[in-house]
Amino acid sequence: MRFLTAGESHGPKLTVIIEGMPSNMQLTSDMINQELFKRQGGYGRGRRMQIEKDTVEITSGVRHGVTLGSPITLVITNDDHKHWLKVMGVDPKDDTEPVKRVITKPRPGHADLVGGIKYRHRDLRNVLERSSARETAARVAVGAVCKELLSQLGIDIFSRVIEIGGARDNNDYPIHTIKENNDNNDVRCIDDNVAQQMRDTIDEAKSNGDSIGGEVQVIVENVPAGLGSYVHYDRKLDGKLAQSVISINAFKAVSFGAGYDMKHLPGSKVQDPIGYDESGYYRLSNQLGGFEGGMTNGMPIIVNAVMKPIPTLYKPLDSVDINTKEAYKASIERSDSCAVPAASIVCEHAVAFEIAKEILDEFQSNDLAQLQDNIKRHKAYIKEF
């Protein structure tokens, strides 16, 4: 399975083509829209979310609410584009008409300057329009399709926020508690007291014209053991997940299970002892986050990821005008003071794609029933191993 996204932040629409989904799986636009709605929420979001009401149109690969096995095309219209017709129009412009909203002062921490150098753009809007996190709406749409597939296989995936700007939820919750309470508030934090601390931290950053980052967690339950491979570096599933997560805008670190805490622990406290009962093999702990040797071991997958503060600041940092080479403050674009709650949704859907892709690579899967049957046989084999 693979997908390709296209579209600019203030362009007419985002388009996604997904290839490789099995046939005979129920899929409707409402299923995808529910996930897109979650991405738009969260405390600290900016005015863009009041304009864009993301909804998807399925234009191929589905007939009467059921997948055909052919490429699926998803389209998300940018409602804000009508305000940007003279800035982001596709047709050639009159040579006498000046280009509007040209950007020549790159923002530190964004793709502006390096992207302009690489693709030889003198107007850095040509860079920021595509490098914008607006593209993550398309990735969530893909992940929503993948989540529906995973649900048909009995696999659950969900996420939460662990930390925003130093306000951290250090509680050790059972997985079912996280699953049942991750959407209880607007920062997606399980502990309501910590949630208020997070809001206060966001408000302080906003009042200072600053931005703030944090840490999110994604959990995947009921994944069959044996996905991924130990035989070569590029077949390790935790490596594929790490690449996918880090490719999300502003994500700068990723770990699994106990993650960074492992550097403080002896090996006896890190490895997960093995047990066996009538249900098959299991681990007595899950410090490794569901992975051994680059392969799933049947325990829940635990992915932790860190998002840096958004680089667009309302009190901009020092920059240089690429035309005059004079020192200036960086350009200001409409932005969020904190997007960590929304980023947890994006991360969840990026993980969903990688898990779904690995399953489709591992098992014969032209048709959903065929895939379900193959996974059932695989689990029976593991139990008797």
Side-chain angles (χ1 to χ4, degrees), residues 158-174:
F158 43 95
S159 61
R160 64 164 174 148
V161 172
I162 298 176
E163 181 175 352
I164 292 179
R168 185 175 183 85
D169 187 349
N170 287 312
N171 295 295
D172 186 16
Y173 301 106

Side-chain angles (χ1 to χ4, degrees), residues 84-95:
W84 290 75
L85 293 175
K86 292 186 177 180
V87 179
M88 294 299 298
V90 174
D91 295 332
K93 68 176 188 64
D94 189 328
D95 289 339

Side-chain angles (χ1 to χ4, degrees), residues 64-279:
H64 303 317
V66 178
T67 58
L68 301 175
S70 52
I72 297 170
T73 304
L74 310 176
V75 175
I76 304 171
T77 299
N78 287 334
D79 291 337
D80 201 22
H81 178 64
K82 58 180 175 286
H83 301 125
W84 290 75
L85 293 175
K86 292 186 177 180
V87 179
M88 294 299 298
V90 174
D91 295 332
K93 68 176 188 64
D94 189 328
D95 289 339
T96 62
E97 183 181 358
V99 178
K100 297 182 180 296
R101 303 194 69 162
V102 172
I103 292 179
T104 61
K105 306 175 184 68
R107 297 163 293 173
H110 218 294
D112 301 353
L113 179 58
V114 181
I117 292 170
K118 180 176 180 65
Y119 291 98
R120 300 193 176 189
H121 291 307
R122 301 306 301 180
D123 180 357
L124 301 182
R125 179 164 298 284
N126 292 338
V127 178
L128 69 88
E129 284 288 335
R130 178 58 183 174
S131 65
S132 164
R134 176 68 184 150
E135 189 265 352
T136 62
R139 294 186 68 176
V140 169
V142 173
V145 177
C146 294
K147 282 183 66 176
E148 182 59 29
L149 172 65
L150 295 176
S151 72
Q152 295 295 319
L153 305 176
I155 297 171
D156 294 323
I157 179 167
F158 43 95
S159 61
R160 64 164 174 148
V161 172
I162 298 176
E163 181 175 352
I164 292 179
R168 185 175 183 85
D169 187 349
N170 287 312
N171 295 295
D172 186 16
Y173 301 106
I175 286 181
H176 70 85
T177 299
I178 298 173
K179 184 177 180 179
E180 294 167 3
N181 297 280
N182 60 345
D183 278 322
N184 279 0
N185 55 56
D186 54 7
V187 288
R188 310 196 75 239
C189 176
I190 307 301
D191 189 319
D192 285 332
N193 292 325
V194 178
Q196 186 54 51
Q197 296 173 25
M198 291 178 176
R199 293 186 196 96
D200 294 341
T201 304
I202 294 169
D203 289 342
E204 181 180 1
K206 185 176 182 179
S207 66
N208 293 329
D210 216 331
S211 61
I212 201 165
E215 183 174 358
V216 305
Q217 183 178 76
V218 179
I219 300 172
V220 193
E221 280 191 304
N222 302 321
V223 178
L227 297 182
S229 176
Y230 65 89
V231 301
H232 211 59
Y233 76 96
D234 61 348
R235 294 180 62 188
K236 294 176 182 285
L237 181 53
D238 50 0
K240 294 178 182 179
L241 284 170
Q243 192 279 331
S244 184
V245 170
I246 290 298
S247 74
I248 302 170
N249 302 56
F251 274 62
K252 287 298 181 182
V254 62
S255 69
F256 299 89
Y260 296 112
D261 291 341
M262 292 182 192
K263 65 181 180 287
H264 303 303
L265 300 173
S268 59
K269 300 294 184 182
V270 169
Q271 320 310 331
D272 300 314
I274 300 172
Y276 184 86
D277 60 20
E278 65 276 4
S279 299

Side-chain angles (χ1 to χ4, degrees), residues 193-381:
N193 292 325
V194 178
Q196 186 54 51
Q197 296 173 25
M198 291 178 176
R199 293 186 196 96
D200 294 341
T201 304
I202 294 169
D203 289 342
E204 181 180 1
K206 185 176 182 179
S207 66
N208 293 329
D210 216 331
S211 61
I212 201 165
E215 183 174 358
V216 305
Q217 183 178 76
V218 179
I219 300 172
V220 193
E221 280 191 304
N222 302 321
V223 178
L227 297 182
S229 176
Y230 65 89
V231 301
H232 211 59
Y233 76 96
D234 61 348
R235 294 180 62 188
K236 294 176 182 285
L237 181 53
D238 50 0
K240 294 178 182 179
L241 284 170
Q243 192 279 331
S244 184
V245 170
I246 290 298
S247 74
I248 302 170
N249 302 56
F251 274 62
K252 287 298 181 182
V254 62
S255 69
F256 299 89
Y260 296 112
D261 291 341
M262 292 182 192
K263 65 181 180 287
H264 303 303
L265 300 173
S268 59
K269 300 294 184 182
V270 169
Q271 320 310 331
D272 300 314
I274 300 172
Y276 184 86
D277 60 20
E278 65 276 4
S279 299
Y281 296 97
Y282 64 92
R283 302 303 188 276
L284 278 69
S285 60
N286 193 21
Q287 295 287 76
L288 299 179
F291 285 100
E292 290 172 330
M295 301 169 290
T296 55
N297 61 14
M299 294 295 284
I301 293 174
I302 310 291
V303 183
N304 310 299
V306 173
M307 181 190 190
K308 72 175 182 178
I310 291 171
T312 295
L313 305 177
Y314 286 99
K315 288 185 178 178
L317 299 174
D318 291 341
S319 183
V320 174
D321 189 298
I322 63 171
N323 289 337
T324 67
K325 307 303 186 288
E326 296 178 6
Y328 279 95
K329 295 297 181 181
S331 299
I332 298 176
E333 288 285 308
R334 183 175 54 205
S335 184
D336 307 324
S337 54
C338 178
V340 175
S344 68
I345 298 296
V346 178
C347 190
E348 174 184 320
H349 288 77
V351 170
F353 170 77
E354 293 298 332
I355 300 298
K357 181 180 186 301
E358 196 69 25
I359 287 173
L360 294 176
D361 287 345
E362 183 74 26
F363 302 100
Q364 186 71 24
S365 55
N366 295 316
D367 165 71
L368 178 60
Q370 178 188 55
L371 175 61
Q372 291 169 326
D373 189 51
N374 286 332
I375 291 178
K376 182 179 179 180
R377 286 200 298 268
H378 174 72
K379 289 182 176 179
Y381 157 74

Side-chain angles (χ1 to χ4, degrees), residues 30-42 45 49 52-55 140 342 345:
D30 286 344
M31 295 174 179
I32 301 171
N33 289 338
Q34 290 175 13
E35 303 300 316
L36 290 173
F37 178 76
K38 291 181 182 179
R39 173 193 167 274
Q40 292 195 284
R45 301 305 302 274
M49 295 305 103
E52 299 289 4
K53 304 300 180 186
D54 289 340
T55 56
V140 169
I345 298 296

